[in-house]
Amino acid sequence: MTGKPLNEKRFNEIKEFFLMQNKNKISEQQIRENIIFSHCQTLEDYNKVFINLAQRIENERIKLVIIDNIQSVGDNFIKADGQVDFIERSNFLLKHSKYLKKIAYQYNLIISILNNVTSDVNGNQGDPSRGFFQEKRNAVQPSLGLLWSNCVNERICLKKRSHGGGGSGFGDNVKRTMMIDKSAFLRRNEINFEVHAGGVRGKHE
């Protein structure tokens, strides 16, 4: 599910790389039959995706659901005057995350949810129990606040910086890092990675 139209160019790059790596094992038609895209412009569009989803998981043998991204869903709760209806948004996120966990456990399904980050102006990563002078690990925090942070089981943070230390992250002089930020069974750790034609891969320096 995507909050904006799919970047077909990037999808085709990954598809062509995969076909080359699996020559005579899978066809382009099979790839397209096994990947289902839903572009959701409104909350109503988004909710329609989950109607009879349990039945679709069994019939279409769905193994992975990617939501890109959850902040776009949360933006539907911004009212005409620009204010956020925090109560309605919180109720939706709690109910929706509970449902996603239920089907994930029931059907052995992987659900990957992308989120944006916002500036951590208080230095407490959205947790008011952390004082201003405590350790500041990042200058950013996940969007949708502490409530959403408590809804997810695992959280992986992707960072991109220029080698010179700036945050522009353009061109070839870029350092990308994948960090385990929250996990029930993995210790906090990070690894550098690079983007290539077939997706991403670890990079040891």
Side-chain angles (χ1 to χ4, degrees):
M1 284 163 286
T2 62
K4 56 185 178 181
L6 175 73
N7 184 342
E8 283 280 348
K9 181 177 180 294
R10 182 60 180 136
F11 172 74
N12 288 330
E13 286 178 354
I14 297 174
K15 178 197 65 180
E16 293 301 327
F17 183 88
F18 187 80
L19 287 170
M20 183 178 65
Q21 295 292 311
N22 296 273
K23 195 173 182 179
N24 300 323
K25 294 180 181 179
I26 190 170
S27 67
E28 180 177 347
Q29 181 64 27
Q30 287 175 307
I31 292 176
R32 291 199 173 269
E33 287 176 353
N34 284 279
I35 300 177
I36 305 166
F37 292 104
S38 298
H39 175 216
C40 307
Q41 291 184 299
T42 66
L43 188 60
E44 183 180 2
D45 291 340
Y46 182 80
N47 287 329
K48 284 180 180 178
V49 174
F50 295 93
I51 296 175
N52 300 323
L53 179 61
Q55 184 177 349
R56 290 181 62 194
I57 290 171
E58 294 183 324
N59 294 342
E60 302 173 27
R61 295 186 296 176
I62 296 173
K63 298 296 183 183
L64 169 67
V65 173
I66 300 175
I67 299 173
D68 180 15
N69 64 47
I70 194 64
Q71 185 184 356
S72 297
V73 180
D75 287 345
N76 285 277
F77 295 92
I78 299 176
K79 296 182 288 187
D81 61 0
Q83 298 296 312
V84 179
D85 190 335
F86 289 106
I87 295 177
E88 285 298 316
R89 190 180 75 174
S90 297
N91 289 338
F92 169 82
L93 292 174
L94 287 171
K95 182 179 179 180
H96 187 53
S97 63
K98 183 178 180 180
Y99 170 75
L100 293 177
K101 289 180 182 181
K102 178 182 176 181
I103 61 172
Y105 287 121
Q106 184 174 353
Y107 296 101
N108 196 28
L109 183 70
I110 297 173
I111 300 179
S112 178
I113 304 174
L114 281 67
N115 191 11
N116 292 346
V117 294
T118 59
S119 297
D120 185 10
V121 294
N122 293 319
N124 60 8
Q125 296 184 312
D127 184 355
S129 66
R130 298 184 72 240
F132 181 83
F133 294 103
Q134 290 181 335
E135 177 189 5
K136 298 179 184 179
R137 293 176 177 170
N138 296 299
V140 296
Q141 63 182 4
S143 298
L144 302 179
L146 183 62
L147 181 138
W148 179 249
S149 294
N150 290 327
C151 288
V152 300
N153 290 8
E154 315 288 324
R155 183 167 62 234
I156 296 174
C157 178
L158 303 181
K159 298 184 290 185
K160 180 173 70 173
R161 285 188 171 278
S162 66
H163 277 301
S168 61
F170 290 106
D172 297 327
N173 191 31
V174 171
K175 179 179 180 181
R176 291 180 170 88
T177 305
M178 181 181 300
M179 180 180 69
I180 299 173
D181 194 47
K182 174 185 177 182
S183 176
F185 61 96
L186 293 173
R187 63 183 177 85
R188 186 181 179 88
N189 201 356
E190 63 180 43
I191 185 172
N192 295 331
F193 72 96
E194 60 183 356
V195 178
H196 66 108
V200 299
R201 62 188 172 198
K203 183 178 181 181
H204 300 282
E205 297 180 348

